[in-house]
Amino acid sequence: MSEKPKLISTAVLPSTGASANINLPGDGNTLIAHANAVNMKSVYIPVVQTSGVALPTRRTVNEDYYSLFVIGDELFTGGHFMVPKECALTESIAPELKAKYAKLDMGAITAIKTFPAIFASRNHQYCRAGENQDAYLGFVDEVVVQDNGIKVCFHLLYAISQRRLNELACELSIDSASAFNEFDRTHWTIKQINLIEKLRKADVINTLF
């Protein structure tokens, strides 16, 4: 199996510390995207409408953080999934990030929706994903706290070999030991690390995001 990601949809991001002109169809539709001190960028990503047509939708991205979702045997085909409340931002998260985001108020959810995210199911074996097991790079579209758990709606961009992500655990600030890592248990956490930069340097994704 190739370690290269499978593109689900595309977006264009300037490299870190640079600005880029993003040209869109039509007259006068050029976006100037700037990378500021907090790595906030505006990008256009295709979003499939109910008609089946993919239209460019502008999104603000904060590359200083990312969400990691590891959800049982989830296939991420239904547009949303549930996170048990006891597994949401309760472990493998820095105390200051837990204090800031775990309350899941409007401000926290708004910020979380700007973070890139990895969506993964549990490893098929401890510390080892299945041969054809994929995780996904994408975004959180909405978070709803319900009686039966936390509903997370999402948008996928790339499928990525989960074996490769296991290999990059240290670089991605994913807790790991010789026989166990974060991909082995259901949970949601937030990491203060530039996921996009790390994946680019590891040749997992390219500059098309």
Side-chain angles (χ1 to χ4, degrees):
M1 174 184 173
S2 171
E3 297 294 328
K4 287 293 185 180
K6 295 181 282 294
L7 181 62
I8 297 173
S9 63
T10 58
V12 180
L13 286 179
S15 59
T16 302
S19 62
N21 292 343
I22 302 173
N23 295 309
L24 301 172
D27 296 328
N29 289 332
T30 299
L31 166 69
I32 308 300
H34 294 281
N36 297 319
V38 293
N39 271 339
M40 296 290 286
K41 299 175 182 178
S42 290
V43 301
Y44 277 92
I45 62 173
V47 175
V48 178
Q49 309 298 305
T50 55
S51 63
V53 176
L55 297 178
T57 300
R58 191 162 99 173
R59 185 166 209 133
T60 299
V61 180
N62 182 349
E63 290 188 345
D64 287 334
Y65 304 87
Y66 79 93
S67 282
L68 171 65
F69 296 91
V70 183
I71 310 295
D73 299 320
E74 179 65 44
L75 298 177
F76 303 103
T77 57
H80 70 270
F81 56 86
M82 299 297 296
V83 182
K85 289 183 179 180
E86 65 272 16
C87 299
L89 306 176
T90 58
E91 57 182 280
S92 298
I93 183 170
E96 61 272 20
L97 296 184
K98 182 177 180 180
K100 188 173 183 179
Y101 298 113
K103 53 190 175 182
L104 291 177
D105 58 13
M106 184 178 297
I109 292 172
T110 297
I112 287 166
K113 288 160 65 175
T114 69
F115 304 160
I118 289 176
F119 302 96
S121 56
R122 286 195 308 260
N123 281 332
H124 290 176
Q125 301 176 16
Y126 284 122
C127 273
R128 186 172 177 82
E131 182 178 356
N132 297 312
Q133 186 175 358
D134 283 332
Y136 300 91
L137 174 64
F139 287 103
V140 171
D141 283 336
E142 194 54 82
V143 177
V144 182
V145 180
Q146 302 180 168
D147 289 343
N148 61 335
I150 298 170
K151 180 179 179 180
V152 178
C153 302
F154 60 90
H155 180 82
L156 303 181
L157 295 174
Y158 279 117
I160 299 173
S161 165
Q162 191 158 317
R163 284 194 174 184
R164 183 68 177 124
L165 293 178
N166 275 266
E167 294 169 356
L168 293 171
C170 182
E171 289 85 346
L172 301 182
S173 192
I174 292 171
D175 294 345
S176 62
S178 59
F180 192 84
N181 69 28
E182 286 190 60
F183 287 113
D184 295 327
R185 66 183 189 275
T186 292
H187 70 296
W188 167 23
T189 186
I190 292 173
K191 309 289 188 180
Q192 188 171 5
I193 193 170
N194 190 325
L195 172 69
I196 303 305
E197 180 181 73
K198 296 294 184 181
L199 293 180
R200 283 174 175 156
K201 286 184 176 180
D203 199 30
V204 173
I205 63 171
N206 56 33
T207 54
L208 291 178
F209 195 60

